[in-house]
Amino acid sequence: MAETILFSDKLGIDRKDMLEIINESASGSGATKVKTPLLINDQYEPAFALDLMLKDILLAKMQAQIFLYQNFD
């Protein structure tokens, strides 16, 4: 979402307007609504623990290996 805000900033679109569009459209969610005040105020603190990110990456890697083994072995 931060990338979308950066892109809108570069295009001269007010970030409050962009976030309102995001939150009121199909792409809006509880997460986007929680992040909105932080993005408006340029607060980009990490919100996802590295150990959880590592877990997700390892799970994705494992699934890729299973897929490759089943389909290309």
Side-chain angles (χ1 to χ4, degrees), residues 9-57:
D9 286 349
K10 296 285 183 186
L11 293 173
I13 301 169
D14 183 84
R15 61 177 56 189
K16 287 182 184 178
D17 293 337
M18 177 57 78
L19 289 162
E20 181 178 349
I21 291 167
I22 291 169
N23 286 325
E24 298 302 322
S25 71
S27 60
S29 68
T32 63
K33 291 174 181 161
V34 167
K35 295 281 186 184
T36 291
L38 301 173
L39 293 169
I40 289 172
N41 295 311
D42 282 326
Q43 295 175 320
Y44 301 101
E45 290 81 17
F48 196 72
L50 287 178
D51 59 335
L52 294 176
M53 186 179 296
L54 176 61
K55 173 194 63 91
D56 290 350
I57 290 170

Side-chain angles (χ1 to χ4, degrees), residues 3 6 11 15 20 61 65 73:
E3 293 86 354
L6 178 63
L11 293 173
R15 61 177 56 189
E20 181 178 349
K61 180 182 175 188
Q65 290 170 331
D73 193 37

